[in-house]
Amino acid sequence: TPLYSSAASDVYKRQKINIEFQETQSRTNYQVRLLDVSGKIIQQKDYRSTFGQNRFTLSVNNLKNQHIYIIEIVSETGEKFQQKLLHH
């Protein structure tokens, strides 16, 4: 599988989330989504990975404090990874 279980990390730096994952295939297209708990897409970006370590940033300055969100990464083959995120 192209995504390891530690694919995303919710590191806050000035209202941004840094997402990192290790790609085990040469190149894959992903959709990265930020969802609220009801499943509504708050933000969505397309990303093309390269083999090895990949990192990108999502802005979260428009999110409400003390709410739970979900980061979802979906590959072009339909593989999905989700991680909950508590916005402080």
Side-chain angles (χ1 to χ4, degrees):
T1 62
L3 294 178
Y4 289 115
S5 60
S6 59
S9 62
D10 53 339
V11 179
Y12 289 96
K13 293 183 181 178
R14 298 184 184 152
Q15 299 296 312
K16 295 181 180 179
I17 301 169
N18 295 318
I19 299 173
E20 297 180 83
F21 63 94
Q22 184 74 22
E23 177 61 74
T24 59
Q25 297 180 8
S26 58
R27 291 184 183 178
T28 304
N29 293 316
Y30 290 96
Q31 280 192 338
V32 180
R33 301 174 185 147
L34 184 63
L35 312 168
D36 66 15
V37 290
S38 72
K40 178 183 174 188
I41 296 174
I42 304 298
Q43 191 176 147
Q44 180 173 302
K45 291 189 175 189
D46 293 328
Y47 181 76
R48 184 170 177 91
S49 68
T50 58
F51 181 78
Q53 189 70 19
N54 287 266
R55 181 180 183 172
F56 56 94
T57 303
L58 289 177
S59 173
V60 293
N61 57 359
N62 61 337
L63 300 184
K64 296 178 183 177
N65 288 337
Q66 302 301 320
H67 280 75
I68 296 173
Y69 295 92
I70 299 166
I71 296 172
E72 180 178 80
I73 301 172
V74 182
S75 74
E76 61 190 48
T77 61
E79 189 173 13
K80 187 184 294 186
F81 173 84
Q82 291 183 334
Q83 183 170 337
K84 288 183 184 175
L85 167 72
L86 174 61
H87 187 260
H88 302 284

